[in-house]
Amino acid sequence: MKKAKLFGFGLTALALTVALAACGGGKKDGTDSTGGNSAGGDADHSVVIVTDIGGVDDRSFNQSAWEGLQAWGKEHDLKKGADGFDYIQSNDASEYVTNIDTAVSNGFKTVFGIGYLLADSISTAADANPDTQFGIIDSVIEGKDNVVSATFKDQEASYLAGVAAAHTTKTNTVGFIGGEEGAVIDRFEAGFHQGVIDTAKELNKDIKVEIEYAASFGDPAKGKALAASMYQKGADIIFHASGGTGQGVFQEAKDLNETGSKDKVWVIGVDSDQDKEGKYKTKDGKEDNFTLTSTLKGVGAAVQDISNRALEDKFPGGEHLVYGLKDGGVDLTKGYLSDEAQKAVDKAKEEIIDEKITVPEVPKDVKE
């Protein structure tokens, strides 16, 4: 497989995608099985995303992909539906194969699997449908000329989140909540943990990092329970990389902050700017926000970029596209960081880009 880095990618494109609202799914009158309008006009190309169980309203990974596809459709004046662009919602892992088959049978020319959990299903479908173009996000499928793979250096943005957390914590305990264990979430955990450790040394602090996994990207109740336990143990900042499960993390932080039962607690968002999730009212009725910052991942911009290439008959089949800090594929929002914390984040970002800092991709390589 050819491996290529996309330079000049930038999160400017991502900013465009997040300005678009996510649409709902489900079968309605006048729509096809994907929830799209089958009466859409003619198009030179059609693209569909098949979500994982988080769905297009997960306020994170899948939603970012859908917003990117909507931006692509708007750019080319295409309609939502089988003749333009659409999504197919997966409510359970058992639906991946069926949903991908539906996408192919509905005639979509490019089919994206959003998330590494769909990799096996995309690979099988690519073998069975050599004339259809497939994309897999957050995984690598090798040896297939009709499949493009897109991955992100999540560990780099997560390292910056660790720097921010170490500068902000008052209790010297921070937490990480992952969705399902695997290579992708390993990158988030490893980067965040190393960022906290390195910064703690610089600040002469002793900071504890609590780490838990929910074993799901779609279980807000489990996310809330894990967050409650971490905050109870003294954590005042939690970085989640758990998709829809993270909604529970935000809910627990909101409950604690609104009741004022303890000092303010924070959440670090993932994949897109989750600032809106942190809005709350204090006990005395004042508006405030507890989303300290968010790691950004250009999933939507990657979908838009690949879709444009496909439209121009330049589909990068067989390639592995890698997006990192250097080319703007990942980043960290300003959020509510102090000037000191932001300065430290900017310095770390520059050193990662200049390769003065090498961020580990797996937790076992984190250096205490």
Side-chain angles (χ1 to χ4, degrees):
M1 171 179 285
K2 294 178 286 183
K3 186 173 182 179
K5 292 185 179 181
L6 289 185
F7 297 96
F9 171 70
L11 283 164
T12 302
L14 178 62
L16 170 65
T17 68
V18 296
L20 298 171
C23 300
K27 190 172 183 179
K28 306 173 185 176
D29 292 341
T31 65
D32 61 23
S33 62
T34 69
N37 189 343
S38 58
D42 292 336
D44 293 327
H45 203 81
S46 57
V47 181
V48 65
I49 63 170
V50 177
T51 76
D52 71 11
I53 60 174
V56 295
D57 58 353
D58 66 355
R59 304 168 191 172
S60 186
F61 188 78
N62 289 282
Q63 183 168 326
S64 177
W66 175 231
E67 288 169 347
L69 188 55
Q70 289 178 95
W72 177 79
K74 183 177 181 180
E75 177 185 358
H76 298 288
D77 196 26
L78 300 176
K79 294 183 179 181
K80 182 175 179 289
D83 294 324
F85 65 96
D86 214 333
Y87 72 87
I88 301 178
Q89 175 82 28
S90 300
N91 298 307
D92 187 84
S94 63
E95 298 177 1
Y96 294 157
V97 172
T98 300
N99 288 345
I100 293 169
D101 287 346
T102 297
V104 174
S105 64
N106 281 354
F108 285 99
K109 295 181 175 64
T110 302
V111 179
F112 284 95
I114 306 303
Y116 68 92
L117 295 175
L118 284 87
D120 289 344
S121 300
I122 287 288
S123 180
T124 299
D127 287 338
N129 302 278
D131 294 330
T132 300
Q133 299 167 348
F134 293 90
I136 183 66
I137 302 295
D138 255 358
S139 187
V140 180
I141 296 175
E142 298 182 337
K144 302 185 193 300
D145 290 337
N146 62 332
V147 181
V148 59
S149 305
T151 62
F152 301 80
K153 295 184 178 181
D154 304 296
Q155 70 275 13
E156 295 182 345
S158 299
Y159 184 95
L160 301 184
V163 172
H167 271 275
T168 306
T169 181
K170 294 181 178 179
T171 64
N172 288 338
T173 300
V174 300
F176 173 84
I177 294 178
E180 295 188 28
E181 294 187 56
V184 174
I185 307 305
D186 275 356
R187 294 198 288 266
F188 286 97
E189 179 191 331
F192 179 70
H193 198 175
Q194 192 67 64
V196 171
I197 290 171
D198 290 351
T199 307
K201 290 177 181 177
E202 292 178 6
L203 298 174
N204 197 26
K205 285 184 175 182
D206 182 12
I207 302 177
K208 184 178 181 180
V209 181
E210 297 278 353
I211 298 171
E212 294 287 351
Y213 279 80
S216 173
F217 290 108
D219 191 346
K222 185 65 176 292
K224 192 176 191 303
L226 290 175
S229 177
M230 282 190 178
Y231 288 133
Q232 184 64 36
K233 291 177 181 177
D236 58 352
I237 302 169
I238 294 176
F239 175 37
H240 90 93
S242 58
T245 296
Q247 293 175 27
V249 179
F250 279 99
Q251 187 59 55
E252 179 61 23
K254 183 177 182 180
D255 290 348
L256 291 174
N257 286 321
E258 286 188 338
T259 60
S261 58
K262 61 183 299 180
D263 292 339
K264 184 174 183 177
V265 296
W266 298 91
V267 177
I268 296 177
V270 70
D271 292 340
S272 61
D273 189 349
Q274 296 192 303
D275 180 80
K276 290 182 179 179
E277 307 308 307
K279 291 183 177 180
Y280 75 102
K281 286 188 177 181
T282 61
K283 254 181 123 177
D284 55 7
K286 292 182 180 178
E287 293 187 353
D288 204 346
N289 198 300
F290 60 80
T291 301
L292 178 63
T293 180
S294 300
T295 61
L296 298 178
K297 182 170 183 170
V299 177
V303 168
Q304 189 174 358
D305 172 60
I306 293 169
S307 297
N308 273 326
R309 293 189 190 202
L311 180 65
E312 297 166 359
D313 293 325
K314 298 177 181 177
F315 180 73
E319 293 188 26
H320 173 200
L321 309 181
V322 184
Y323 304 89
L325 275 178
K326 189 173 184 178
D327 49 347
V330 299
D331 211 333
L332 190 76
T333 65
K334 166 64 177 174
Y336 300 91
L337 302 182
S338 66
D339 290 342
E340 177 189 7
Q342 185 62 55
K343 186 176 180 180
V345 166
D346 291 341
K347 180 174 179 287
K349 180 178 178 179
E350 184 177 339
E351 290 181 342
I352 291 172
I353 291 173
D354 292 342
E355 299 181 355
K356 294 179 181 178
I357 294 177
T358 300
V359 185
E361 298 185 42
V362 292
K364 68 180 180 63
D365 292 333
V366 173
K367 298 178 180 178
E368 297 282 353

